[in-house]
Amino acid sequence: MSLSSEPIRITRGRGGEVEVEGPLDAFAASILARAGFETWPTLRGSWIRLPFDMGASWENEHASWAADMLTAARYQVQLDPSLRPAPGSSSPPASAPRRTKAAMTAQPAPPGASHRPRR
């Protein structure tokens, strides 16, 4: 975990894109990737941002979700106030896949399979 006193900043850039700046370790980067952020190499390091043209409400949901997850992992986070979602939406974005346990079901033996008794 990052021990830096500098917070991770999630802001809307000059071009309208939602980007992340500040000290990031591998775990913080994986949290951001889970929230939908992409990492692009640049001459000065890497640029972490949400995909372009997904709509302001989608960007706000994913940016605030990333901030919530980073805060839960005890990172210091500054979320641009313009990225906060509408009141009452505190769950993960609807586009985030939910993981469920697969049910184990018995499958019939394929036709012609031998049924040898166990010894």
Side-chain angles (χ1 to χ4, degrees):
M1 187 178 316
S2 175
L3 297 176
S4 175
S5 62
E6 183 183 354
I8 297 171
R9 292 175 308 283
I10 304 174
T11 61
R12 189 171 296 279
R14 289 177 282 178
E17 71 282 350
V18 177
E19 54 192 6
V20 177
E21 297 174 342
L24 295 174
D25 57 20
F27 185 60
S30 70
I31 290 172
L32 290 166
R34 175 75 177 115
F37 283 81
E38 300 175 339
T39 302
W40 295 91
T42 66
L43 294 175
R44 294 183 290 157
S46 47
W47 183 31
I48 301 174
R49 62 168 175 81
L50 284 174
F52 291 126
D53 299 328
M54 297 302 287
S57 64
W58 186 92
E59 293 169 347
N60 292 356
E61 287 176 1
H62 285 259
S64 62
W65 186 37
D68 290 345
M69 288 191 292
L70 288 166
T71 301
R74 299 187 184 259
Y75 288 93
Q76 292 183 27
V77 180
Q78 281 183 348
L79 178 63
D80 186 331
S82 69
L83 295 173
R84 298 204 186 280
S89 59
S90 62
S91 62
S95 62
R98 297 209 180 255
R99 295 181 184 206
T100 59
K101 292 183 180 180
M104 297 292 290
T105 58
Q107 299 293 318
S114 65
H115 295 282
R116 291 185 278 173
R118 292 189 183 191
R119 293 186 185 187

